[in-house]
Every structure is written in structure tokens, then in C-alpha cells.
Amino acid sequence: MQLTGNLLIGQESVFGSNGAIKAVNASTGAAIEPAFGGATLADLDRACALAWAAFDVYRETAPEARAKFLETIAQNILDIGDDLIERCMIESGLPRPRLEGERGRTVGQLRMFADVVRNGDFLGVRIDPAQPERKPLPRVDLRLRHVGVGPVAVFGASNFPLAFSVAGGDTASALAAGCPVIVKAHSAHPGTAELVGRAVQKAVKDCGMPEGTFSLLFDSGRDVGQGLVKDNRIKAAGFTGSRGGGTALMKLAAARAEPIPVYAEMSSINPVLLFPNALKNRGEGIAKAFVQSLVLGAGQFCTNPGLLLAVDGPELDAFIAAASAALKETAAQTMLTPGICKTYQGAVTRAAEHADVATAARGVEAKGENQGQSALFVTTAEAFRKSHELQEEIFGASSLVVRCPDLASMRELIESLEGQLTSALHIDEADHADARSFLPALERRTGRILVNGFGTGVEVGHAMVHGGPYPSTADGRSTSVGSLAINRFLRPVSYQDLPDALLPDALKTDNPLGLNRRIDGTLQLAK
Ligand code: NAP
């Protein structure tokens, strides 16, 4: 499929006149064709005007029509075929199997949200019927449903060019909620963004959705992305990326005359806790699995295990030796962008030069362009506590083992950690009592707690939380993965004493949409 480099503004496809962006071949560092025209502020204004005009129509589309729209996007993405995978491999440096899997996940997410829309529970219908006879005062008729918040700006991440990008989880959940979406394409994968954007644009047309339901903008600087968050027709933003980027957008959103939420998924170091019995009985096996998880995707996962805590002693020495032996064998891997690789190398050098940090092992030296060499470091609990920089995420295949004097000091260290996306406990049955004593502290800091595994590998389902207290995300009450992600883009509206003829279908007395409803507080399942 021929790339045009065009902006997609509603059904229009036009080359932006505000500078140009070229993708870079991640493996060679060479710029690749074509150029993508940057949007002007006038383009941004047109996309916002269309999205605003679409909102009231799109949010009232029938559940079946909206579900079909999401499924059509999924099918259109599959129909791009191998062109999508090939372009994405060049732009991201990620291998084919990984990207084919990610495409499956992206399509699966869209289909899951189609089911969510059909099921209708996301509307959260509640009806408190009128009680005209109630004394001393009659009770009014109150009916509640959730509606989309309004047009949503989406900023995808470099490390998931499909599943967290143009038609990724943020877009799928916002569209499912009834919100038009404007995507600011990630400059690391503009070709991938155009291909997927055209699949969405075509689905809008195929399904007869209002034109402004979707737009895709390229930004040659920061003005368009920031302008989107500042525009008063945008009512929420979804972001996945760095802490610097996320917090910059949060500040802009908070400074608006009408502040809006920015659901930013940012950095996390995902502590792994080795408990004594597991360490003693299975240390070597855990060490190998840990290294496998650490180097997966060149370590470029927000759920990468960047910190490992255990009680010091000969068993931890053996663990570090086994992990080091495994890590030394790991090949250097192409990273997503030259910038990310440079940042990684700088952070690893700083860790290696830190007075209180020892280098346990490095992976095989990088031979090609833009490759990250894995690293394992060791420090003490005392050093970790006093050096805040050791808590900072190193985006890549690098991890830090902290030698703790005992379990009590390990728990204290947990208390000093920032909010995290995941934490992983490695335990045997004899560790259960100790592990239980850690749970309250972990619950306060973590979105997902897991046992005898690692946080890399995020299931897309109904019980998944990919979120966590600040700064892992902007708002720890939310998730960006799984069906609950839709809640970020909904708000409740209550209707008091409206005649049936004026009520939306979701709230009409005879329940034409066949929804499950909470009547007077009691859940009534649709027949
Ligand atoms: P990034 O540099 O923050 O970029 C994300 C997007 O935001 C891009 O579209 C970027 O524009 C835009 N952006 C960044 N700073 C901005 C600013 N100040 N104003 C306006 N727009 C801005 O992140 P990345 O390179 O994609 O990803 C690497 C980082 O993301 C890592 O730190 C990683 O841990 C984190 N990450 C977190 C999660 C999570 O779920 N928590 C998931 C994946 C990645 P440009 O395209 O112009 O650069």
C-alpha cells in the first residue's frame, strides 16, 4: 500500500504544510521515505471542529452500529496485510512475530470493545422510580446513564506502534464510549500511523459514522500535540509514553479555563520481590526467567522488571551469579529509536559509575547501529534509600538488584517507592505469611500484583488493570488496558422526571435496548 504522508482530517486526506517528518529505519538510523507533512494550527482547528460537530451524533449511535464500526476497524487493519507489518518492522526495529502478535492484540481489543458496547453494562443504567405517595415528601423519578465525555486526544507510545497507538486501547475505548478521537501520530512510526489511520478513516465511511469521528495529525514540533490538549473542544486525553511528556500535557490540561483529565501512562520500575523460601528452593530457575523477562523486546516495556529486592546472603549471591550468567549470553537488540538508545546508554553508564552500585553483568556487546546491551546492577538497601536517582526508570534491558538486610527493611523499601504499574512476588507456600504482610503496602503503590511471574505480558481482559498510582499513571483510579479502560471517557448524567418520550433509549421504561439495570439499587438482569 502506497504511503502518502497525508494528514487525515475527517474524510479529507491532505499533505500538511507545517514542516515535515521522516521516519528512521531503526536498524540503520537512515531516514526513510516518504515525508509526512506536519499539521498547521488551521488543520488542528478543522479536526477539532469536525470532532465537535460529530460528537452529539456519534455518541447516540445505536450500540449495534457502534459495535460494527469497531469490528470494521479491526477488519480493515487486518486487510492491510503484510504491508503494515513490514513498515512497522522498519520503523520500530521490532521483530515480525512480536508485531504480528501485537496486531492480533490490537484487533482483539477493538473486538472486545465491540462486545462491551453490545452488552451495554458500561452505560451503568440506574433507575430510582418515582414514589408519589412517599411521606413526608414524594420522591422524584431519577434515571442515570453514562455518556461519552467529548472528543478525545490520543498520543500513542513508541514501544507499541499498534496496540498503544492510532487504533490502540485508548482509541478503541474512547470510540466505544461514544467519543470522537483525534490522534497525534507518534513521530517514530508515522508510516504505521498512516496505514492504520486510513483503516479507521475508511471504517468511518463504510459504517456511515459522522465524518469527524476520527482524525490523524502529524506534528513536526510540539505545537499541534500541545494545541490539541489546550483546545476547548477536546474533553480528555489518553497518553502513553515518558514521564516528561505525560506531565507536560497534564500541566497544560490543568491550566485550561476548563481543565480536562489527561490519562497518562508513564514510567514504572515494577519491583520484583524474592521471598526467602522461593529464593532458596528455586533461585536459579527464577534467575533465568527474570533475565528472559528483562530482555524481552530489548527491555522496552513499561512493565519491565527494573528492580529486584531480596534478603542478602549466599542464596542471593547464587541468584545474582545465575542471573549474571544468563544475562551475559543475551544478544544486544535494536532499540525503537536512536534517541531511546542514546538515553538508555547514558542511563546505564550513569548507573555503572554510581559510587554505590556494582555492575554484576553486561550482555553481549552491541555490534550494530542503535542496539542496546543489557545490564544488571547491584546495590544495597541503604544506598537505594538515599539515592532517588536509583528509583528512576531506565527504559531498556537494565535492572537493579537491591540487597536488603532482612524482610523488614525490604518492606520499608517498598514504602519508599513511587507508584508502580506492577509488582511481582516470588513465593513458595512457606513464604505466604511474609508475603501477606507485604500486600497492604503493595496495594497502596501498585496497579497489578502478581505471583511467581513477571509483569511483562499484559492480558487484555475484563479484570486487567494496567495503571497504578502516580507517577506510573496520572490517575491511579483508571486502567488503559482491558474493558474497564472505557470508564476514563465516560461521565454520569442523571435525568429527573423526564417523560419517557424525552428519555434516551437506554433509560426508557420498557428497556428497548435490553440492558441490565439497577432498579432502586437492585440489579435486574435483562431477559
Ligand atoms: P514520549 O517521548 O513521551 O512520546 C509519546 C508521545 O507524546 C509522542 O507522540 C510525543 O511526540 C508526545 N510528546 C512527548 N512529549 C511531549 C510534549 N512535551 N508536548 C507534546 N507532546 C509530547 O514517549 P515514547 O518515546 O513513546 O516512549 C518511551 C517512554 O514511554 C518510556 O519512558 C516508557 O517507560 C514509557 N512508556 C510507558 C508506558 C505505560 O503504559 N506506562 C507504555 C509505554 C511506554 P513526538 O512523536 O513528537 O515525540
Side-chain angles (χ1 to χ4, degrees), residues 155-160 164 184-188 219 221-222 225-226 239-246 248-249 252 264-268 300-302 336-337 340 393 395 421 466 472-473 480:
F155 296 76
S158 53
N159 60 345
F160 279 92
F164 278 88
K184 202 296 278 174
H186 199 295
S187 52
D219 187 1
R222 292 280 189 235
Q226 298 190 353
F239 168 96
T240 309
S242 63
R243 194 188 296 190
L249 297 179
L252 289 175
E265 301 286 330
M266 301 179 281
S267 55
S268 181
Q300 301 165 119
F301 286 113
C302 44
L336 292 157
T337 67
I340 285 177
E393 177 196 54
F395 190 59
L421 293 172
H466 184 66
S472 63
T473 76
S480 67

Side-chain angles (χ1 to χ4, degrees), residues 266-509:
M266 301 179 281
S267 55
S268 181
I269 52 174
N270 307 299
V272 175
L273 280 61
L274 295 188
F275 282 78
N277 290 288
L279 179 59
K280 189 165 99 199
N281 300 332
R282 303 182 283 114
E284 195 178 333
I286 299 171
K288 286 182 183 155
F290 162 66
V291 169
Q292 268 175 16
S293 170
L294 178 65
V295 302
L296 201 67
Q300 301 165 119
F301 286 113
C302 44
T303 48
N304 193 48
L307 177 69
L308 191 143
L309 308 178
V311 174
D312 203 6
E315 275 121 12
L316 182 57
D317 292 340
F319 174 90
I320 294 169
S324 299
L327 190 113
K328 280 181 188 150
E329 303 291 318
T330 60
Q333 296 175 69
T334 303
M335 298 194 77
L336 292 157
T337 67
I340 285 177
C341 188
K342 199 163 159 238
T343 306
Y344 171 72
Q345 284 162 349
V348 165
T349 304
R350 277 195 301 284
E353 288 170 354
H354 194 290
D356 296 319
V357 172
T359 303
R362 295 297 311 264
V364 175
E365 213 169 298
K367 293 213 174 61
E369 281 286 320
N370 195 31
Q371 290 188 336
Q373 182 192 4
S374 51
L376 184 64
F377 299 107
V378 182
T379 191
T380 62
E382 199 192 341
F384 186 80
R385 230 188 330 264
K386 66 175 199 239
S387 310
H388 184 77
E389 67 273 18
L390 296 180
Q391 276 208 34
E392 284 167 17
E393 177 196 54
I394 297 181
F395 190 59
S398 169
S399 193
L400 178 65
V401 177
V402 180
R403 295 180 182 273
C404 302
D406 49 30
L407 278 175
S409 66
M410 197 159 126
R411 203 166 36 227
E412 267 172 44
L413 271 199
I414 294 289
E415 296 287 4
S416 73
L417 291 181
E418 297 181 319
Q420 302 292 331
L421 293 172
T422 72
S423 48
L425 290 74
H426 286 263
I427 53 175
D428 279 358
E429 210 172 325
D431 294 312
H432 280 190
D434 287 329
R436 188 175 295 114
S437 74
F438 275 66
L439 286 176
L442 292 173
E443 285 163 355
R444 273 186 268 116
R445 290 191 161 61
T446 312
R448 176 163 56 109
I449 300 166
L450 58 137
V451 160
N452 293 338
F454 298 93
T456 42
V458 180
E459 273 302 317
V460 179
H462 303 290
M464 173 51 72
V465 171
H466 184 66
Y470 186 86
S472 63
T473 76
D475 186 341
R477 294 167 299 178
S478 65
T479 173
S480 67
V481 176
S483 57
L484 219 53
I486 195 172
N487 286 358
R488 297 172 301 166
F489 304 121
L490 292 168
R491 50 178 278 271
V493 178
S494 208
Y495 301 78
Q496 185 173 327
D497 286 338
L498 266 69
D500 227 48
L502 290 190
L503 283 169
D505 283 353
L507 297 180
K508 284 195 196 317
T509 302

Side-chain angles (χ1 to χ4, degrees), residues 87-285:
R87 177 76 192 190
C88 199
M89 282 167 67
I90 296 170
E91 289 185 331
S92 67
L94 294 170
R96 173 179 287 277
R98 151 72 199 271
L99 289 174
E100 286 176 348
E102 196 181 322
R103 177 176 59 185
R105 172 176 167 172
T106 308
V107 165
Q109 267 173 180
L110 286 155
R111 291 177 176 154
M112 178 192 72
F113 278 110
D115 291 343
V116 166
V117 171
R118 278 199 185 94
N119 165 286
D121 281 352
F122 76 98
L123 293 165
V125 170
R126 292 166 172 232
I127 299 180
D128 296 345
Q131 291 176 354
E133 313 304 331
R134 193 181 71 173
K135 299 282 182 246
L137 288 173
R139 189 173 84 172
V140 296
D141 180 276
L142 270 182
R143 295 170 188 235
L144 176 154
R145 70 164 176 165
H146 286 78
V147 299
V149 291
V152 171
V154 169
F155 296 76
S158 53
N159 60 345
F160 279 92
L162 299 170
F164 278 88
S165 192
V166 175
D170 285 345
T171 297
S173 54
L175 290 175
C179 301
V181 166
I182 303 177
V183 175
K184 202 296 278 174
H186 199 295
S187 52
H189 54 261
T192 305
E194 181 190 327
L195 291 172
V196 176
R198 276 157 55 184
V200 184
Q201 187 190 47
K202 181 170 181 295
V204 170
K205 189 163 178 220
D206 292 347
C207 298
M209 292 294 157
E211 182 181 0
T213 302
F214 174 79
S215 291
L216 172 72
L217 302 175
F218 298 104
D219 187 1
S220 59
R222 292 280 189 235
D223 288 352
V224 171
Q226 298 190 353
L228 258 182
V229 171
K230 288 195 277 189
D231 193 285
N232 63 10
R233 293 160 291 193
I234 297 294
K235 300 301 180 189
F239 168 96
T240 309
S242 63
R243 194 188 296 190
T247 51
L249 297 179
M250 285 164 66
K251 277 188 194 137
L252 289 175
R256 288 172 36 143
E258 179 199 353
I260 55 164
V262 174
Y263 294 100
E265 301 286 330
M266 301 179 281
S267 55
S268 181
I269 52 174
N270 307 299
V272 175
L273 280 61
L274 295 188
F275 282 78
N277 290 288
L279 179 59
K280 189 165 99 199
N281 300 332
R282 303 182 283 114
E284 195 178 333

